[in-house]
Amino acid sequence: MASITVVLMYGWVLLSLLTIGDARHPCVFPFIYKSKSYSSCTEDGNGRGKFWCATTANYDKTPLWENCALSEYGGNSGGQACVFPYIYKGRTYYTCTNEDAINGNFWCATTGSYDRDGKWSYCADTRQHGINMGPCVFPFVYEGKTYSSCTTAGSSTGKLWCSLTSNYDTDPKLTYCDPTEPRPCHFPFIFKGKSYSSCTKEGDGARPLWCATTADYDKDSKWKACALEEYEGSSNGQPCVFPFIYKNRTFYTCTNEDIGDGRFWCATTGNYDQDKKWSYCADSRDQEEPNDDDCDAFSEI
């Protein structure tokens, strides 16, 4: 019975992807041109200065090519831009995919959930980067440890990433967990008519711990995977240090002061004014109370 349910649930998904007739021949990455390997579109050899790609693995042997599409096109959304992350078949994607697509063309959802909204476009060829395309696999193993969400482990820049295989140690493929709109969690938020004041695992398939980035996911389909550790910033994801000094005030929690997109951050030394070291906060920290119950979130020095 379960297998029948799956077929019924996703049958319309396959139909809508396979019946759109504006597909091009897909780029093949990497490809060989004049004995050099290319993993993205190139202007090399094109006297008109346009980006192109081979549509075979070796252009030197089989000289087939296409001009690269520089923006999304076609699909049933009229070429609307990709939205990352998105859910397809209950899995989380931060990349385009060619799963279930005619002629292997890469596509993306144009809302946060294809499973729910069914909206998609063919991807700009400039979004494709060789073999590192596909859904995050949760959980995955990295250096013998199991991860159920995006992580900065092993990243010198503090960027969040996920494995595209169940065991990165034996099959090292990854993608960065870069959302289209970097925004903070919005607490509380509504999902399926219920209010949530923290990250949740409720919802589609193998989605990691997540939160909505607007007040009503049911209306907007906008979400992000919750960061469970500090990431990026000038300290490349070093952990928060509390309390810290910023603008001559003492902070005991993360703050979104002076951050244009509203994300929360913290200093990674005791004095930001002096050291200028900071990271974006783990989403689990955003709503934390001050360390000292008698103190405000910040106080004047």
Side-chain angles (χ1 to χ4, degrees), residues 52-272:
W52 68 280
C53 66
T55 55
T56 64
N58 192 325
Y59 179 90
D60 295 345
K61 292 182 178 180
T62 310
L64 299 176
W65 64 281
E66 287 266 11
N67 286 319
C68 285
L70 304 182
S71 61
E72 276 69 68
Y73 64 97
N76 65 7
S77 73
Q80 291 293 306
C82 296
V83 169
F84 301 113
Y86 63 86
I87 299 295
Y88 178 55
K89 290 186 175 179
R91 295 169 295 171
T92 299
Y93 287 78
Y94 284 92
T95 73
C96 299
T97 180
N98 62 357
E99 185 173 349
D100 300 325
I102 193 168
N103 293 333
N105 287 276
F106 283 85
W107 64 275
C108 64
T110 54
T111 72
S113 177
Y114 183 90
D115 292 351
R116 170 185 148 148
D117 303 316
K119 294 295 184 181
W120 66 282
S121 294
Y122 286 113
C123 287
D125 295 312
T126 49
R127 289 191 185 274
Q128 300 177 38
H129 302 286
I131 61 173
N132 289 348
M133 308 286 285
C136 294
V137 176
F138 298 119
F140 66 88
V141 174
Y142 172 65
E143 293 189 346
K145 182 178 178 180
T146 300
Y147 293 85
S148 296
S149 189
C150 298
T151 181
T152 63
S155 172
S156 61
T157 61
K159 285 180 69 67
L160 293 164
W161 64 277
C162 68
S163 178
L164 303 182
T165 65
S166 60
N167 192 323
Y168 183 87
D169 296 341
T170 58
D171 193 3
K173 298 175 184 177
L174 67 83
T175 192
Y176 289 108
C177 301
D178 289 330
T180 303
E181 296 181 277
R183 301 176 67 177
C185 292
H186 189 293
F187 296 123
F189 65 88
I190 301 298
F191 173 61
K192 293 186 176 179
K194 180 180 175 181
S195 180
Y196 292 81
S197 296
S198 61
C199 298
T200 181
K201 285 280 291 182
E202 295 295 322
D204 311 301
R207 192 191 327 221
L209 200 67
W210 69 280
C211 64
T213 56
T214 65
D216 193 339
Y217 176 87
D218 295 343
K219 177 182 177 182
D220 303 318
S221 297
K222 293 187 176 182
W223 67 283
K224 62 173 285 188
C226 288
L228 304 184
E229 57 201 276
E230 278 68 65
Y231 63 100
E232 297 182 13
S234 63
S235 71
N236 298 325
Q238 289 298 302
C240 296
V241 170
F242 297 113
F244 64 88
I245 305 299
Y246 177 59
K247 289 185 174 180
N248 290 322
R249 291 173 293 167
T250 302
F251 287 74
Y252 294 88
T253 65
C254 298
T255 178
N256 61 1
E257 186 171 339
D258 298 325
I259 294 290
D261 58 25
R263 284 184 290 176
F264 286 80
W265 65 277
C266 64
T268 54
T269 70
N271 193 323
Y272 177 87

